[in-house]
């Protein structure tokens, strides 16, 4: 067994370094001096090589260029990137015969820091770090480079576009032998390793990069090709605000909002307006590419997303379900209305189910109920209070918050909601001639926290209402920063709950950024505890970036690799790197601290 997460170091051939990036075409896209809409060419030297790198800054908006590979057969392809201790550098990369870019990113000093190395800013500014891309047949192909760029102001002058810093030093090719190619193909055909699930909020790329094309949406999914990921959980809506062309809810255009809390919120709105004008449905674009990559597509929905607090309340602007139905809002223990819609009312559940039913008109593989944002959904509304009083003779508002009778009774509301969801998905599947549309739910950290939020997971599983349960974190109150599942005993409840049932368990791994070693240790420990699947919230934010951490993460389904790594003493996983001795006319051995 060969540990293929170790990049191109497992292959037998000596690498070839292509350092003359000034051969990229067209030549008029290159310039020896910094210039808008041009790649700057800059000479550099290391102890092992010299060459000409391509550089583009935050306002360059450099065009696509092609490097002629003039090679045949399968190769492992890596890119040498000149880093920076202060900010990320990244690039767009694809073969000339492909229609979707991969996005490669190196974050500030992160690889070295994650690996526990002591690296100074001066050290990092002299370093070229390799990002492994993929093993692929490059016969007859050129390599296409691009720079991520997006509009932040009107016009075509400097400052109208913002870009990711891009510094490409070299292309590294390792030719693969026929047995090595056969081993890669056999490995990709394995199904036992496809145990990873990813999430994308389908918001961040609108917010950060003002996405305007279907190809830019597809980039968020291309990273999962030939990995251990088998599902993408793609957010399709939040409350009555939808991320597709809904006929029931609102699309994210926000007419009438002239001033936003953040620049990204404005860009998000502009992005959606452009998609609307072009007739490009983001969910449709994402779903098609997900299936092409080999992923199931699960449309996900934030059940509590009907109303947001100021100053970030642009999403609540205009005619909304929340404004039209003040009588369906939550009620706290003291009888006050709360700023949320309550699922104790059949009208709220019916509206949400109609949205999920609309999502199921797409050829999706499943839907997912996201309980991990802004609970609770059921409080002390009259229907549940009066129902409890009729059954038990007590007023729940005079009981302790954690009274087991009250918690169990209140949880019936969301169990009923799941019955209605299951019925709607079964009806949609029947209409489409399909066997089943799966239902997933992201839930809280343990039995007590779930019941405190009106969620009776055992009832859902016993009735077959959910197909996958995804505990968000072992940390309290849905903490997204704390490390989750550091004590595998926290997973025992969920392993026991799903054992022997038809419900799949997938634990979410947090925080969003971890070292490659930490990913491997956490996965190995959870597998040993009986967990079969792993979930990654915000997987394309700080995770799927082609760093050393991503090399480890994208193969975490390979339990045999984890076991071998553990038995070898858990050796460090680090990015190959080369220190430059000269950049342009600057002798880097001449140290200038400060």
């Amino acid at each position: 067994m060969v540990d293929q997460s170790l990049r191109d170091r497992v292959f037998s051939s000596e690498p070839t370094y292509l350092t003359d990036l000034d051969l990229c075409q067209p030549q008029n896209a290159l310039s020896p001096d910094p210039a808008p809409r041009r790649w700057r060419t800059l000479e550099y030297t290391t102890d092992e090589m010299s060459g000409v790198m391509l550089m583009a800054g935050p306002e360059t908006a450099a065009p696509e260029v092609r490097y002629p590979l003039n090679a045949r057969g399968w190769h492992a392809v890596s890119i040498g990137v000149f880093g920076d201790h202060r900010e990320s550098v990244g690039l767009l990369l694809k073969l000339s015969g492909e229609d979707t870019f991969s996005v490669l990113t190196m974050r500030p000093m992160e690889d070295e820091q994650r690996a526990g190395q002591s690296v100074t800013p001066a050290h990092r500014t002299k370093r070229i770090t390799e990002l492994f891309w993929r093993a692929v047949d490059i016969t007859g192909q050129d390599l296409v480079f691009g720079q991520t760029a997006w509009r932040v102001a009107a016009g075509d002058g400097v400052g109208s576009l913002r870009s990711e810093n891009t510094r490409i030093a070299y292309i590294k090719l390792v030719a693969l032998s026929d047995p090595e190619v056969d081993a890669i193909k056999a490995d990709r055909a394995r199904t036992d390793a496809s145990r990873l699930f990813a999430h994308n909020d389908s918001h961040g790329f609108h917010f950060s990069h003002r996405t305007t094309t279907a190809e830019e949406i597809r980039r968020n999914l291309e990273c999962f090709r030939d990995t251990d990921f088998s599902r993408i959980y793609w957010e399709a809506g939040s409350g009555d605000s939808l991320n597709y062309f809904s006929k029931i809810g609102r699309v994210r255009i926000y007419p009438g909002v002239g001033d936003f809390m953040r620049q990204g919120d404005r860009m998000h709105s502009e992005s959606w307006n452009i998609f609307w004008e072009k007739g490009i449905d983001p969910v449709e674009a994402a779903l098609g590419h997900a299936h092409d990559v080999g992923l199931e597509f699960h449309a996900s929905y934030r059940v509590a997303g009907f109303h947001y607090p100021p100053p970030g309340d642009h999403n609540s602007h205009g005619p909304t379900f929340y404004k039209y139905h003040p009588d369906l809002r939550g009620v706290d223990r003291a009888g006050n209305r709360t700023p949320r819609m309550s699922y104790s009312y059949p009208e709220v559940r019916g509206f949400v189910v109609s949205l999920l039913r609309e999502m199921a008109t797409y050829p999706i593989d499943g839907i997912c109920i996201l309980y991990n944002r802004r609970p609770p959904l059921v409080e002390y509304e009259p229907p549940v209070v009066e129902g409890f009083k009729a059954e038990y003779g007590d007023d729940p508002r005079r009981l302790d918050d954690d009274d087991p009778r009250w918690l169990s009774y209140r949880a019936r509301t969301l169990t009923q909601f799941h019955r209605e969801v299951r019925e709607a998905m079964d009806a949609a599947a029947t209409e489409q001639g399909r066997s089943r549309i799966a239902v997933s739910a992201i839930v809280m950290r343990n039995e007590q926290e779930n019941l405190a939020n009106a969620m009776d997971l055992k009832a859902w599983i016993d009735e077959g209402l959910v197909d996958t349960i995804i505990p968000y974190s072992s940390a309290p109150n849905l903490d997204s920063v704390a490390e989750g599942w550091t004590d595998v005993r926290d997973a025992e409840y969920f392993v026991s709950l799903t054992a022997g049932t038809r419900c799949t368990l997938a634990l979410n791994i947090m925080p969003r950024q971890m070292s490659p070693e930490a990913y491997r240790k956490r996965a190995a420990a959870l597998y040993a505890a009986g967990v079969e699947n792993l979930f990654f919230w915000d997987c394309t934010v700080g995770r799927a970036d082609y760093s050393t951490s991503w090399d480890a993460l994208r193969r975490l389904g390979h339990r045999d690799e984890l076991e071998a790594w553990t038995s070898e003493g858990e050796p460090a996983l680090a990015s190959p790197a080369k220190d430059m001795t000269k950049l342009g006319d600057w002798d880097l051995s001449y140290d200038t601290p400060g």
Side-chain angles (χ1 to χ4, degrees):
M1 190 274 300
V2 175
D3 187 345
Q4 293 184 23
S5 65
L6 296 175
R7 304 172 171 240
D8 53 16
R9 288 168 281 176
V10 301
F11 303 121
S12 58
S13 297
E14 290 296 315
T16 298
Y17 293 91
L18 307 175
T19 65
D20 49 356
L21 299 188
D22 54 341
L23 295 182
C24 283
Q25 300 294 325
Q27 284 286 295
N28 62 8
L30 312 180
S31 169
D33 300 309
R37 315 302 189 264
R38 298 286 189 274
W39 292 92
R40 182 185 181 185
T41 56
L42 188 64
E43 294 182 352
Y44 70 92
T45 303
T46 75
D47 287 337
E48 305 171 42
M49 66 179 68
S50 61
V52 179
M53 68 170 63
L54 299 182
M55 302 181 70
E59 295 184 329
T60 305
E64 295 177 18
V65 290
R66 294 185 175 211
Y67 183 92
L69 293 174
N70 299 318
R72 298 184 59 82
W74 278 70
H75 288 72
V77 183
S78 300
I79 304 298
V81 176
F82 170 38
D84 193 296
H85 69 282
R86 293 160 296 188
E87 53 193 345
S88 297
V89 293
L91 66 140
L92 301 177
L93 183 65
K94 70 177 181 178
L95 295 176
S96 53
E98 297 175 332
D99 61 2
T100 302
F101 279 109
S102 298
V103 183
L104 283 64
T105 305
M106 185 171 64
R107 304 183 191 282
M109 298 183 70
E110 93 183 320
D111 284 343
E112 295 88 347
Q113 289 177 333
R114 287 176 177 175
Q117 300 176 22
S118 177
V119 180
T120 67
H123 187 190
R124 181 59 181 273
T125 55
K126 301 176 183 179
R127 173 164 290 187
I128 297 171
T129 303
E130 286 181 13
L131 302 180
F132 175 64
W133 183 39
R134 60 198 278 210
V136 64
D137 186 352
I138 61 174
T139 303
Q141 300 277 358
D142 295 339
L143 208 55
V144 183
F145 292 115
Q147 184 186 29
T148 301
W150 60 98
R151 181 167 297 284
V152 294
D156 295 316
V158 174
S160 61
L161 297 175
R162 172 77 182 179
S163 312
E164 298 282 4
N165 279 302
T166 306
R167 306 185 191 110
I168 309 166
Y170 60 76
I171 302 163
K172 178 183 177 184
L173 301 179
V174 179
L176 307 185
S177 66
D178 289 342
E180 288 169 340
V181 173
D182 291 341
I184 289 173
K185 291 180 177 179
D187 182 75
R188 291 176 180 176
R190 288 177 57 175
T191 57
D192 63 307
S194 300
R195 59 179 75 247
L196 309 182
F197 307 154
H199 161 269
N200 189 303
D201 67 5
S202 68
H203 166 269
F205 50 84
H206 294 285
F207 179 94
S208 61
H209 292 143
R210 196 178 177 272
T211 301
T212 60
T213 68
E215 189 273 335
E216 290 173 314
I217 292 176
R218 297 197 302 268
R219 294 175 191 173
N220 291 269
L221 296 155
E222 185 62 27
C223 53
F224 299 111
R225 190 182 297 278
D226 301 326
T227 70
D228 291 350
F229 284 88
S230 60
R231 297 184 189 177
I232 182 69
Y233 283 77
W234 188 273
E235 290 199 24
S238 173
D240 62 345
S241 186
L242 287 308
N243 299 329
Y244 62 92
F245 292 169
S246 174
K247 297 179 181 178
I248 301 172
R250 301 178 298 133
V251 296
R252 296 181 181 270
I253 295 177
Y254 312 130
V257 179
D259 188 32
F260 292 87
M261 178 180 70
R262 299 168 295 184
Q263 183 186 67
D265 294 319
R266 170 179 63 81
M267 294 197 302
H268 183 281
S269 179
E270 292 173 353
S271 171
W272 251 101
N273 271 282
I274 292 168
F275 278 117
W276 182 263
E277 292 168 359
K278 290 182 176 180
I280 299 173
D281 187 325
V283 162
E284 194 173 72
L287 193 158
H289 200 61
H291 286 167
D292 179 70
V293 167
L295 299 173
E296 292 181 5
F297 188 94
H298 294 247
S300 305
Y301 176 78
R302 299 195 184 199
V303 281
F306 282 94
H307 193 63
Y308 290 88
D313 54 350
H314 61 276
N315 194 48
S316 305
H317 183 79
T320 66
F321 189 86
Y322 177 87
K323 291 177 181 176
Y324 280 138
H325 299 283
D327 55 318
L328 303 180
R329 297 176 190 172
V331 177
D332 66 15
R333 189 184 183 96
N336 302 309
R337 289 288 181 182
T338 60
R340 66 188 72 248
M341 305 308 299
S342 172
Y343 282 64
S344 63
Y345 297 107
E347 296 90 340
V348 174
R349 300 196 306 272
F351 177 75
V352 170
V353 169
S354 74
L355 294 176
L356 299 174
R357 186 71 170 79
E358 184 179 54
M359 294 174 198
T361 60
Y362 294 84
I364 61 175
D365 301 283
I367 57 104
C368 182
I369 309 300
L370 304 178
Y371 290 107
N372 58 317
R373 289 294 183 266
R374 301 183 181 276
L377 301 174
V378 185
E379 299 178 84
Y380 288 86
E381 294 77 39
V384 283
V385 169
E386 296 305 317
F388 183 84
K389 289 166 65 176
E391 185 164 331
Y392 291 100
D394 290 327
D395 189 331
R397 294 166 295 191
R398 297 175 180 171
L399 302 175
D400 292 338
D401 286 337
D402 58 356
D403 183 284
R405 294 176 304 161
W406 169 238
L407 295 181
S408 178
Y409 183 86
R410 188 176 58 172
R412 295 181 194 176
T413 296
L414 291 185
T415 299
Q416 177 59 28
F417 170 59
H418 272 275
R419 292 189 189 108
E420 293 161 1
V421 171
R422 180 73 271 165
E423 182 180 354
M425 293 304 103
D426 288 346
T430 299
E431 288 179 8
Q432 298 171 23
R434 303 167 58 190
S435 59
R436 192 171 180 84
I437 295 175
V439 176
S440 301
I442 297 186
V443 299
M444 313 297 179
R445 69 183 178 120
N446 56 29
E447 182 178 19
Q448 294 72 30
E449 196 168 82
N450 280 290
L451 279 174
N453 286 281
M455 298 157 64
D456 187 345
L457 306 189
K458 187 176 186 304
W460 300 356
I461 293 172
D462 287 347
E463 291 189 39
L465 304 179
V466 290
D467 300 287
T468 301
I469 288 288
I470 306 165
Y472 184 70
S473 176
S474 59
N477 299 316
L478 302 170
D479 190 334
S480 295
V481 178
E483 289 191 43
W485 318 110
T486 54
D487 186 343
V488 295
R489 290 175 295 182
D490 292 332
E492 291 176 356
Y493 164 68
F494 296 103
V495 172
S496 175
L497 184 69
T498 55
T501 74
R502 302 171 76 176
C503 183
T504 296
L505 170 64
L507 290 188
N508 180 43
I509 305 300
M510 296 295 269
R512 292 169 177 83
Q513 297 186 8
M514 296 169 61
S515 72
E517 295 84 3
Y519 274 128
R520 283 192 161 192
K521 291 178 183 179
R522 192 67 41 80
L526 291 174
Y527 288 148
V531 176
E532 292 291 334
N533 299 86
L534 303 177
F535 185 93
F536 299 89
W537 180 266
D538 274 349
C539 196
T540 51
V541 178
R543 297 192 197 250
D545 53 8
Y546 295 88
S547 66
T548 310
S549 290
W550 176 241
D551 289 325
L553 194 162
R554 61 178 166 181
R555 292 184 66 83
L556 286 184
H558 280 70
R559 296 182 61 169
D560 48 356
E561 290 182 356
L562 301 183
E563 292 164 2
W565 179 73
T566 300
S567 67
E568 293 168 3
E570 300 179 349
L573 306 169
S575 301
K578 302 181 186 302
D579 289 332
M580 290 187 294
T581 58
K582 190 175 182 181
L583 181 61
D585 64 355
W586 189 267
D587 180 354
L588 294 174
S589 66
Y590 186 70
D591 194 15
T592 54

